Each structure stands twice: as structure tokens, then as C-alpha cells.
């Protein structure tokens, strides 16, 4: 594992006022979300249409640099029972290839149910199918990033990353 793939609690040591970038890796797109400088609120940013790894990574790194991002939170698509399937293997391969290209710390976050929760919200808001397709990936990235931000806000420096408020599997996703 690359040295910049780290547990979430490592992000407690990042400089103040540095943003985090959340990623929802799909087979066709990468949804992106950006935190505010206080690292309390995640906002959907954009969607990168996947082409090939080198181009995808370059676009991602450029966006991270343009927003002064200090770390990446990558959604880890665990199965509902917490096991790792082909999508997790694909995500880990992407991160294994990305990590040497950037000095940014990278942490995984359990993304189970993120797309379903976002889709349900969009359906409740009566968004059209076309609108849902346009925004679901970046909103799922915001959902993932917000979960990690909320967890970071509950942690104390030196925390081993375990408390009763952590969602099941969140720590296992590191």
C-alpha cells in the first residue's frame, strides 16, 4: 500500500483551512465534491467523464490543485454485508495507480447506500430522470465526503478512529 493511503484520522493533522475532495468512482464517471475550508460542509462540484486512467488522474489532480485540496476521500463500494467485491477491487486499483502521482493523503470511506440515498432524495424532489442522471454522481460524492467530514468532526487528535457513533464498516473501509 502506498504511504499516502492513510486512515481517516490522519486527516486531523492537515493544515487549517485546507479543503478535502470527495470522489465517487463509477465505471463511466467520477463524481467530485468539495469541502468548505472549515471541513464541515460537502458541496457537489462536478463530474469527470472517464476516458482512460492517465487522463482521468490528470483531470482529478488539476481540479485538486485548483481548489487547494489537502486530501482525498474515496468512496469504497463495499457490499451490504461489508465484504469486498469486484467494485472494491477496481477502486483499490484506481487508488493504487493514483497514489504515486500525488503527494495528497488518500483515505477510503464506506459508501454503501450513497447512490441509493441520493437517488431517493432526487426522486422525492421530483427531479426528472435526465436531471438525476446529470447530478447523481457528484451528489453521491458529496454524500460520501459529508460522512467523512462528520466523522472527522467527532474525532479528537490521537483518536484511533473508533467510537460508538461511527457507522458500521466506516472504519473497516480505510
Amino acid at each position: 500500500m502506498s504511504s499516502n493511503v492513510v486512515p481517516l484520522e490522519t486527516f486531523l493533522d492537515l493544515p487549517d483551512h485546507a479543503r478535502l475532495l470527495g470522489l465517487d468512482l463509477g465505471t463511466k464517471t467520477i463524481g467530485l465534491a468539495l469541502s468548505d475550508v472549515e471541513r464541515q460542509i460537502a458541496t457537489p462540484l462536478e463530474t469527470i467523464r472517464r476516458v482512460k486512467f492517465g487522463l482521468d488522474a490528470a483531470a482529478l489532480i488539476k481540479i485538486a490543485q485548483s481548489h487547494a485540496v489537502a486530501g482525498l476521500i474515496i468512496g469504497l463500494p463495499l457490499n451490504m454485508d461489508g465484504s469486498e467485491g469486484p467494485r472494491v477491487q477496481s477502486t483499490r486499483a484506481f487508488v493504487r495507480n493514483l497514489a504515486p502521482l500525488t503527494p495528497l493523503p488518500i483515505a477510503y470511506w464506506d459508501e454503501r447506500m450513497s447512490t441509493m440515498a441520493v437517488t431517493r432524495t432526487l426522486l422525492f424532489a421530483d427531479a426528472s430522470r435526465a436531471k438525476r442522471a446529470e447530478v447523481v454522481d457528484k451528489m453521491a460524492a458529496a454524500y460520501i465526503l459529508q460522512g467523512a467530514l462528520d466523522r472527522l468532526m467527532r474525532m479528537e487528535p490521537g483518536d484511533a478512529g473508533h467510537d460508538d457513533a461511527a457507522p458500521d464498516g466506516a472504519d473497516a473501509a480505510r
Side-chain angles (χ1 to χ4, degrees):
M1 184 180 291
S2 180
S3 63
N4 57 334
V5 178
V6 299
L8 184 64
E9 60 265 16
T10 304
F11 282 53
L12 291 171
D13 298 326
L14 291 175
D16 290 341
H17 306 296
R19 298 174 187 269
L20 299 180
L21 188 67
L23 286 77
D24 178 40
L25 291 175
T27 56
K28 297 179 183 175
T29 61
I30 302 172
L32 302 176
L34 189 64
S35 77
D36 64 324
V37 295
E38 298 298 323
R39 294 195 289 264
Q40 294 182 2
I41 300 170
T43 303
L45 182 62
E46 66 180 270
T47 302
I48 297 173
R49 177 111 359 238
R50 292 188 76 171
V51 183
K52 64 184 229 181
F53 175 78
L55 296 173
D56 300 344
L60 177 62
I61 291 167
K62 183 177 179 182
I63 291 166
Q65 289 171 341
S66 71
H67 291 284
V69 166
L72 305 175
I73 303 289
I74 312 266
L76 194 65
L78 297 169
N79 293 326
M80 290 308 292
D81 65 0
S83 64
E84 297 188 5
R87 289 189 59 227
V88 169
Q89 294 170 0
S90 176
T91 298
R92 289 193 190 278
F94 182 92
V95 170
R96 221 177 5 261
N97 292 324
L98 178 65
L101 303 177
T102 179
L104 295 175
I106 302 169
Y108 292 110
W109 184 256
D110 182 347
E111 74 161 64
R112 282 179 278 187
M113 312 266 294
S114 62
T115 301
M116 184 179 2
V118 167
T119 301
R120 185 177 300 136
T121 300
L122 290 169
L123 285 169
F124 183 74
D126 204 26
S128 68
R129 183 182 301 262
K131 182 66 174 172
R132 287 193 312 267
E134 178 186 319
V135 301
V136 71
D137 295 319
K138 62 185 175 183
M139 288 187 68
Y143 187 90
I144 291 163
L145 180 56
Q146 189 65 56
L149 293 173
D150 291 348
R151 178 72 179 100
L152 282 167
M153 283 189 279
R154 289 191 310 268
M155 295 170 81
E156 296 293 329
D159 190 340
H162 300 282
D163 76 4
D164 295 334
D168 288 346
D171 293 323
R174 291 186 290 203

